[in-house]
Amino acid sequence: MISYKSKSELLAKHPFALNFFKKRLLRFLLITAGILALASVGARLVGFQILPIFLKLPQALTRFFKLYLPPDFSEVSKLFEQLWLTVLLAVCSATVGVILAYFSALAISKTTGKIPVLRIGIRFLATLIRNIPSAIWAITLLMAFWFGEFLAFIVMALGTYGFMTRVFSDMIDETNTNSIEALEATGASYWQIIAQAVFPETLPVAVSWALYAVESNIRSSTIIGMLAGGGVGYLIGIYKHFRKFELLFTAVIFVVITILVADQVSTQIRKRIL
Amino acid sequence: MSNAVLSINNLQKTYAPNTKALKGVSFDVNKGELVSVIGPSGAGKSTLFRCINRMIEPDQGSSIVFNGLDIVDLNRDNLKNVRKHIGMVFQHYNLVYRLTAIENVLHGRLGYYSTLKGIMGLYSDEDVLKAGELLDLLGLSERKYFKCSNLSGGQKQRVGIARALIQDPTLILCDEPIASLDPQSSKVIMDYLKDITKQMGIPCLVNLHQVEVAINYSDRIIGVSAGSIVFEGTPGEVTEDVIKNIYGAELNDILQK
Ligand SMILES: Nc1ncnc2c1ncn2[C@@H]1O[C@H](COP(=O)(O)OP(=O)(O)O)[C@@H](O)[C@H]1O
Ligand SMILES: [Mg+2]
């Protein structure tokens, strides 16, 4: 049994201990109040009210069933054609984006980037591309490349490039520099070292990220296709425009199935290589 | 004199204005010699080794004559040519662990290939067979096609030695080759290094932190302390006083605690 001093003695000895916990509680309450205030202001602004959501739920559901059901499978062959195109676009744009990103990452990584001008230039470019959302790219580039699959391809490749350059340069920064040093000592040249040491060491992680890029592009291709014109997204846009909701619902079902399948396929591949 | 493979004169290295890691080091390494460098940690041993093949740039005014050529003022292309002939063995093996043993050995030949062939790993049949032979010689005949991540420390270090040997080196630098190994593997590695100097005639410069190992295996021992050579002589000349002189400060530190 530990015997403690009296409370007043302890208080004199630890003047800050109680204050510390009081302050902590106060901080927590202030932050919670702040978040609640922000949320209520925001809700007021958009006219959001909790109660009507529940009250109108049955009505919304009935409307949904009336509009979307039963799904209309009459244009399935056209849908599959566009779906296939979407997957193809996602894979190709991811591939191009990933390859360009890998080389850019080599140029900007601390371990492999040897030319300062290139490092700064490419880092700036990649950061810029990454921080502009795909939707904005689609709208801006619409002026340069006409509406269609090619625009969708460019927009998705840019998205992949911006994100993967960052990911890959971090990955290369983290790879062990020991083997690079050893190869330098044998008189190997820069690109020999990249190909024989950096590439094999980073390959599994890079492939895993490339698969992620494909998945992510399949997911976003619907929205980008709607904006840029191409693939199943474009089709969904048309269905929406002409209020063909039964067809739209069929398209959505197959998009979801495609995404789930892609997710499974890449999980399986990842398991094999890592 | 003509026997010297490596001749270092007044080697200096200043990292930052106030950190002088090497303060004018001079010594030779001769054909058929195993020379050990010993000294406390931070004495400048690794810096010394890395200056020899200019993985670290020595200060102006240093002179490192290798095969009759002063390395200090070579341009990059000529430097690569010199590096082809200097093998290097590392404490942490420095292998590409996702590749097989034989692929890692062949990395030692990259300097002899065009960039493109090197990138694609298009090694000549002759080199591939040599790599196999070297792995046999180092007792790794069963491990040639193992991924290096699956090898033990001692096996990894033997792959590292094979990678140095396939360079057809005139000199091998070993920076703490046994510092990460157990006594058993350490003995195997040191025996191989001894064979390499005596039978293949390739001189080895070895940085060791175990004095007994240095005494057992070296032809000559160089003691470094605080960036300067404080002892140079045969293993027989290493007395208690010499060791105190080399490790002096550190020993006192230990005694005070
Ligand atoms: N890259 C570096 N930058 C600055 N100082 C360094 C660097 N590398 C080593 N040093 C310093 O140089 C001295 C010698 O280091 P090192 O050659 O690694 O010694 P050893 O291998 O004998 O332990 C140490 O004081 C170390 O702190
Ligand atoms: Mg060291």
Side-chain angles (χ1 to χ4, degrees):
Chain A
M1 218 6 214
I2 306 173
S3 64
Y4 292 103
K5 296 182 190 127
S6 74
K7 188 178 173 187
S8 55
E9 269 178 299
L10 283 173
L11 262 179
K13 201 152 170 283
H14 307 280
F16 300 111
L18 295 184
N19 248 343
F20 173 82
F21 286 94
K22 269 182 203 146
K23 268 190 199 151
R24 205 175 70 166
L25 179 66
L26 194 65
R27 200 159 49 215
F28 172 75
L29 289 177
L30 276 176
I31 290 171
T32 312
I35 290 172
L36 285 177
L38 273 177
S40 74
V41 168
R44 198 77 35 93
L45 275 176
V46 297
F48 181 85
Q49 285 166 304
I50 302 277
L51 206 55
I53 290 190
F54 288 105
L55 290 178
K56 285 189 181 155
L57 193 62
Q59 208 183 329
L61 280 176
T62 335
R63 216 173 124 71
F64 174 84
F65 283 119
K66 231 165 75 191
L67 278 177
Y68 290 93
L69 292 177
D72 180 349
F73 290 97
S74 62
E75 289 191 8
V76 150
S77 68
K78 189 165 148 198
L79 180 64
F80 277 10
E81 203 177 290
Q82 292 301 312
L83 211 51
W84 172 240
L85 187 66
T86 298
V87 172
L88 217 58
L89 270 174
V91 173
C92 293
S93 59
T95 310
V96 170
V98 159
I99 291 172
L100 291 177
Y102 194 87
F103 280 99
S104 298
L106 285 175
I108 66 179
S109 158
K110 275 180 289 198
T111 35
T112 54
K114 297 286 182 215
I115 308 166
V117 183
L118 217 56
R119 272 180 73 172
I120 296 166
I122 292 180
R123 187 183 294 275
F124 176 76
L125 189 76
T127 309
L128 188 74
I129 290 175
R130 187 175 59 249
N131 285 301
I132 297 176
S134 291
I136 305 288
W137 276 119
I139 293 164
T140 5
L141 291 178
L142 192 56
M143 307 301 148
F145 307 96
W146 195 233
F147 207 63
E149 283 86 26
F150 188 63
L151 179 58
F153 171 85
I154 296 271
V155 170
M156 283 195 282
L158 278 174
T160 303
Y161 173 81
F163 182 62
M164 287 299 153
T165 302
R166 170 71 192 276
V167 169
F168 285 166
S169 77
D170 285 349
M171 170 186 79
I172 295 171
D173 281 348
E174 279 161 27
T175 52
N176 201 330
T177 55
N178 282 347
S179 58
I180 299 178
E181 183 191 23
L183 264 62
E184 265 172 19
T186 68
S189 68
Y190 178 80
W191 286 107
Q192 288 178 339
I193 294 171
I194 298 296
Q196 293 294 335
V198 180
F199 187 67
E201 293 283 21
T202 54
L203 189 63
V205 180
V207 169
S208 176
W209 277 108
L211 289 167
Y212 169 81
V214 171
E215 275 177 67
S216 151
N217 280 3
I218 289 178
R219 276 193 293 271
S220 59
S221 65
T222 319
I223 301 291
I224 290 171
M226 227 179 273
L227 293 167
V232 73
Y234 184 51
L235 204 59
I236 289 179
I238 291 174
Y239 289 156
K240 181 178 140 261
H241 188 75
F242 293 103
R243 305 182 63 81
K244 294 188 178 169
F245 292 114
E246 287 96 349
L247 284 168
L248 194 152
F249 191 54
T250 316
V252 168
I253 291 173
F254 282 107
V255 166
V256 170
I257 291 174
T258 310
I259 290 172
L260 291 178
V261 169
D263 181 82
Q264 273 311 303
V265 169
S266 77
T267 307
Q268 290 305 319
I269 298 177
R270 220 170 258 140
K271 242 189 232 159
R272 301 276 142 80
I273 58 162
L274 281 183
Chain B
M1 176 65 209
S2 63
N3 231 3
V5 170
L6 179 74
S7 186
I8 296 176
N9 230 307
N10 190 31
L11 174 57
Q12 305 200 22
K13 173 64 193 177
T14 315
Y15 280 113
N18 280 327
T19 44
K20 196 148 187 144
L22 295 174
K23 303 168 181 163
V25 169
S26 309
F27 67 93
D28 286 0
V29 178
N30 300 312
K31 279 200 183 109
E33 247 189 340
L34 196 156
V35 180
S36 297
V37 177
I38 58 173
S41 98
K45 305 181 298 295
S46 296
T47 305
L48 166 65
F49 277 60
R50 277 164 178 69
C51 281
I52 292 174
N53 55 3
R54 270 181 54 195
M55 301 298 288
I56 292 174
E57 289 294 335
D59 292 354
Q60 290 287 309
S62 309
S63 156
I64 302 167
V65 178
F66 172 73
N67 268 347
L69 205 66
D70 198 332
I71 297 181
V72 173
D73 33 51
L74 290 180
N75 64 21
R76 290 223 69 83
D77 281 344
N78 290 331
L79 178 62
K80 268 182 200 154
N81 263 323
V82 168
R83 283 181 180 169
K84 281 200 297 204
H85 300 287
I86 302 178
M88 197 159 191
V89 173
F90 303 85
Q91 176 183 353
H92 301 292
Y93 330 120
N94 296 21
L95 305 174
V96 180
Y97 292 112
R98 296 199 52 82
L99 297 182
T100 58
I102 195 163
E103 285 171 289
N104 270 285
V105 175
L106 282 160
H107 285 166
R109 291 303 290 177
L110 284 171
Y112 292 87
Y113 285 82
S114 70
T115 295
L116 195 65
K117 277 194 174 163
I119 287 173
M120 318 253 290
L122 298 172
Y123 303 108
S124 69
D125 294 351
E126 199 194 338
D127 282 345
V128 172
L129 296 174
K130 263 194 202 165
E133 193 63 19
L134 283 172
L135 286 171
D136 282 359
L137 204 69
L138 290 158
L140 292 172
S141 46
E142 308 292 317
R143 298 283 186 275
K144 283 182 200 130
Y145 305 102
F146 271 50
K147 248 198 211 168
C148 285
S149 51
N150 297 333
L151 298 179
S152 73
Q155 291 169 339
K156 283 174 185 156
Q157 194 57 295
R158 281 182 273 162
V159 174
I161 291 174
R163 177 177 63 192
L165 285 177
I166 207 169
Q167 289 177 245
D168 275 333
T170 318
L171 170 72
I172 295 182
L173 305 172
C174 309
D175 188 9
E176 307 237 13
I178 57 171
S180 310
L181 298 178
D182 58 90
Q184 194 76 33
S185 314
S186 297
K187 185 178 176 322
V188 172
I189 295 295
M190 288 311 298
D191 286 340
Y192 277 120
L193 292 179
K194 187 94 188 168
D195 288 351
I196 288 166
T197 11
K198 295 306 161 200
Q199 276 151 39
M200 304 184 187
I202 305 167
C204 291
L205 187 63
V206 188
N207 166 4
L208 291 169
H209 67 213
Q210 303 93 326
V211 181
E212 332 80 69
V213 179
I215 290 173
N216 281 335
Y217 285 91
S218 320
D219 297 306
R220 201 145 50 85
I221 295 177
I222 292 170
V224 178
S225 173
S228 304
I229 293 184
V230 294
F231 170 80
E232 186 172 353
T234 60
E237 292 166 358
V238 178
T239 60
E240 201 111 329
D241 284 343
V242 167
I243 294 174
K244 254 188 205 146
N245 192 23
I246 298 172
Y247 291 91
E250 201 173 68
L251 279 184
N252 284 340
D253 277 358
I254 293 166
L255 290 178
Q256 277 166 14
K257 274 166 197 169

